[in-house]
Amino acid sequence: MKLAIPAALLLTLLTSVSARAETATEIVRKADLQMRGKSSYTETTMQIVRPDWTRTMSMKAWSKGADYSLVLVTAPARDKGSSSLKRVKEMWNWVPSIERVIKIAPSMLGQSWMGSDFTNDDLINQSSIVVDYTHILLREDTFDNAACWVIEATPKENAPVVWGKLVLWISQAEYHQRKIEYFDEYGELINTLSTLDVKEIGGRTLPTRMEMQPADKPQQKTVLIYHRAKFDFDLPTDFFSQSNMKGLRE
Amino acid sequence: MTPTFMVRLAWRNIWRQKRRTLLTASALAIAMLLALFTRSMQEGSYAHNLDNATRFYSGYLQLQNPEFSKNQSIDKLLPADDGFLKRVESIPGVTEIVPRLESFALGAAGDKSKGVLVMGVDPEREDGYSGLSHKVISGRYFKREDERAVLIGGGLAAYFNLQVGDEIALYGQGYHGTTAAGLFRIAGIVKFPHKQIDARIVYLPLKAAQDLYVTGEQVTAWVLHGRDARSIPQLEHDARQVMGDTIRVRDWADISPELAQQIALDRASGQFMILVLYGVVGFGLFATIVMMTLERQREFAVMLATGMPRGKLQWIAILETLFLALTGVVLGLLVTTPILVWFFYNPIPLSGELAITMEEMGFEPIIPFSLAPELFAGQIGIVLCLLALCACYPLLRIGRLRIMQAMKG
């Protein structure tokens, strides 16, 4: 009887602590959902910055869950009508000027998308961050004045991923991915993604400016700016079709 | 004993054995004839081949963006406007100038694709320079105004199973990160002399290539040609002077090192054979000198005993060797020069299979000869070296001559 109360207290304490603390995986999943929603539509501008020149592109993108996405380039005129489609595990590029669909093989996922510092994997295949990795909470940190969890994501065996390791800074208050460090299979830092300018957009509060910085070329980066967004609206799966990929111009 | 006296004495001494001297001199002369003939033919061929072979790709010289050669990046270009062209034209000694835009792309037709070499050329200038229109084996040559017409190599056409009039897609990386993508129609199929390039080459009119890669009025290289192969070093120097530090001038050996190596190897093997030849003849010369020295031991002893300074005697021996060699050289030149001059103006024509192959590659099927003074000077130099070596023998013999012993036997 004497032991029972402290024991019961300890037990409650323990269970409540474990019940309250989220696993790293859950944090990552929440952040992922926050970014994408069940379905999304965004209008963005991409600025490719290099020491000698800067190039700007405008895009529209649709996504449904983690399995379907379509990115359409709307400017400049040369690239207008180019698009990238993902259906579950397959991805394609459509290049109107040569009237050809190019299938993106998994080996091409690490290649640059349209000459930017974002890879095909980043832009078209983003969702695997939850499913294909295991997550460990490393520590807490701040980024851009926001308190963040720092989580290390390691690919699961046989997962079709490009990276050897990811380190994610996820803001505690709003579950935004604020910073991601991308490492290759040898543990070398390859890219760093920073997200800034948290604003209200499409009914959500999200960072609207993403900067991808290659580690070995400090003078170059790519900036992705969100202008408009819509979330969680009715978007049928057959919108994500090859004929739509070819047919959409704007 | 005056120098004149010594000279006359030396000269008369070698003619004391007329036949022997003539034989030795003739051997030397024939060696010179063979050596000069071979080397003249070699150097003539190299210059001729160089002139022809370089037109397809490297030219004698190329002007490039200094950073282009690092990884052939389409971002590192040169201007192609009239102002720049005028500067290039002002280089002294330049005989021909053609612009080229060279890059890579993925070529696709049907469901096949292959990495291709894209060459943007000015149709008229290029034809004048490398005779590209004569290489067309099917279809027609293209014109400056053609926006979509291309010429592809026979090997490439075979791989894709393409005919004149079919389409080919080109897809790659353009200037400043743009995507280079375009569909083109095959106007003609060319036969390019090198098989590997024949299987990968696509020629575009320059403007079409500039549009494909979104370069604007720029090129990857200006290709320059000069009068002949020997004028290249001077041309390179002048080009650097005129164009300044911001433009890189590369010669053909830098751009096509395998061609330079081929020539160097061939030249070296020729030179080696000739050295062997001279070695053999040199021994003949040496044998004669040895005989001349040994048979006159007593004569030398008497001269020394009667008061001739040893040094003067050695000088006479050296002069004898010199005159022997000179006779051979003069004889050799007298015989060789007319022959070479005749062949210079009447190169050996080739016939048969070799001729056809050469003509297909755009070469004139001849073996030309070179009359470069360096060739002659080189041969004479070798003979002088032989001479110097041989002269050591009598020098030493006389130097060590013991008068009493020599007189006795």
Side-chain angles (χ1 to χ4, degrees), chain B residues 106-123:
Chain B
L106 187 68
D111 51 5
K112 287 200 203 140
S113 62
K114 188 180 193 189
V116 298
L117 179 64
V118 175
M119 281 277 237
V121 299
D122 178 317

Side-chain angles (χ1 to χ4, degrees), chain A residues 48 50 52-55 57 76 78-79 82 93 95-100 102 112 114-116, chain B residues 75-76 108-110 167 169-171 173 175-183 211-214:
Chain A
I48 303 173
R50 296 283 179 269
D52 300 328
W53 49 271
T54 303
R55 198 157 72 90
M57 281 197 290
R78 263 192 77 89
D79 300 314
S82 299
N93 264 345
V95 187
S97 49
I98 54 172
E99 294 166 17
R100 263 176 174 71
I102 299 177
S112 139
M114 305 271 308
S116 71
Chain B
D75 281 338
K76 307 294 178 193
E167 270 191 343
L170 294 177
Y171 184 57
Q173 172 90 332
Y175 186 63
H176 284 178
T178 55
T179 306
L183 268 179
D211 285 340
L212 175 65
Y213 289 100
V214 200

